[in-house]
Amino acid sequence: MPAKRFNVSVRRHDPTSGESPWFQDYEVEVAEGVTVLETLLRIQAEQDGTLAFRYSCRGAVCGSCAMVVNGEVSLACRTQVHGLGNDRITVEPLPNLEVVRDLVVDMDFFLEKNLDIRPWFDPADPDPPHERLVDPSDWTEAEPYTNCILCASCHAVCPVTARDPSYLGPAALAKHHRFLADARDGAAEKRLALVDDDAGVWGCDVVWNCSKICPKGVRPTQGILASRERLKPKS
Ligand code: FES
């Protein structure tokens, strides 16, 4: 398919200026296979050097480029412009986080939630002389949760994070389950106590938005429900 002309409408905002956000339109020729991130880089290089956005790996690994493209939370580096099925593209920053400038959001609020769930391995046994191996069959539950790239896509689509700043949020609760499900970890009781309230696993609305949107296939809701099961009083 030949290159096609697209109208790319980007939400601009500089909160330090006191001005309200606005949408700025750019006309750009885009070849098939080109991503939203590559298109933004071209706009920035050829039309508007003031356009701000964040990226690093360009390969869906670093989690820096999550944004809202045509109303859907997406990684810009893996979203192809022609695949959007529309010659008018809107690009906006992630919701539920403060805008620093244009498409750049302040990630501190999101990242600090991860510190609240003891995000470190806490073994019950003394260190072995060599590495601490895990039997593959004991790793199947924890393994999917290690794929999180901290892109905050789940945070952006969660109705609870939108209304309750005290909620730990899907990414932190997914990381919590990564350690809880690790057969080598010895701190289950302490870990469960950290999430046994409405700011933790009991606050989740169980609408599965986070699990549907995660670009790496992590399913925070599943981990949250597994923690709830472990917290229920045993009869
Ligand atoms: S640039 Fe790293 S995930 Fe997109």
Side-chain angles (χ1 to χ4, degrees):
M1 195 188 288
K4 223 171 101 180
R5 198 156 189 81
F6 285 84
N7 175 283
V8 181
S9 185
V10 182
R11 190 178 192 269
R12 309 291 311 271
H13 189 203
D14 175 2
T16 62
S17 72
E19 288 174 13
S20 301
W22 79 99
F23 278 90
Q24 184 154 359
D25 288 2
Y26 304 94
E27 295 290 323
V28 57
E29 289 276 323
V30 183
E32 197 178 13
V34 168
T35 64
V36 170
L37 177 61
E38 291 167 315
T39 304
L40 292 172
L41 284 164
R42 230 181 96 203
I43 291 169
Q44 191 187 54
E46 297 174 3
Q47 299 186 39
D48 188 348
T50 70
L51 180 60
F53 50 95
R54 199 184 264 135
Y55 73 99
S56 179
C57 70
R58 306 192 193 198
V61 174
C62 74
S64 306
C65 70
M67 51 188 75
V68 178
V69 180
N70 282 3
E72 292 280 330
V73 172
S74 319
L75 291 183
C77 71
R78 81 166 200 189
T79 305
Q80 295 189 7
V81 172
H82 280 242
L84 293 167
N86 196 329
D87 55 12
R88 183 172 164 81
I89 313 290
T90 59
V91 188
E92 299 167 84
L94 286 183
N96 297 344
L97 290 166
E98 273 182 37
V99 171
V100 176
R101 185 167 176 141
D102 299 339
L103 303 170
V104 177
V105 290
D106 185 349
M107 295 288 279
D108 286 357
F109 178 78
F110 164 76
L111 293 172
E112 280 161 12
K113 297 283 185 193
N114 287 274
L115 301 177
D116 294 341
I117 53 91
R118 298 180 113 247
W120 58 86
F121 180 50
D122 191 352
D125 314 321
D127 286 342
H130 302 295
E131 69 266 50
R132 198 179 285 275
L133 297 175
V134 60
D135 190 288
S137 63
D138 284 337
W139 186 236
T140 45
E141 189 176 347
E143 195 274 336
Y145 297 91
T146 65
N147 293 327
C148 173
I149 57 172
L150 294 172
C151 64
S153 296
C154 56
H155 183 93
V157 298
C158 173
V160 190
T161 62
R163 67 173 184 257
D164 180 3
S166 73
Y167 182 51
L168 282 167
L173 290 170
K175 191 168 293 297
H176 174 268
H177 194 66
R178 173 258 174 269
F179 289 103
L180 189 66
D182 189 324
R184 301 162 299 171
D185 192 82
E189 221 169 287
K190 283 186 222 161
R191 294 191 187 286
L192 286 165
L194 288 175
V195 299
D196 190 12
D197 57 18
D198 284 347
V201 295
W202 302 107
C204 174
D205 280 356
V206 196
V207 291
W208 296 84
N209 286 1
C210 54
S211 306
K212 288 179 207 145
I213 207 71
C214 177
K216 305 308 276 187
V218 179
R219 293 167 65 75
T221 321
Q222 199 167 299
I224 289 166
L225 294 179
S227 293
R228 283 186 181 183
E229 270 312 305
R230 290 181 66 167
L231 282 163
K232 276 187 194 160
K234 304 283 175 281
S235 50

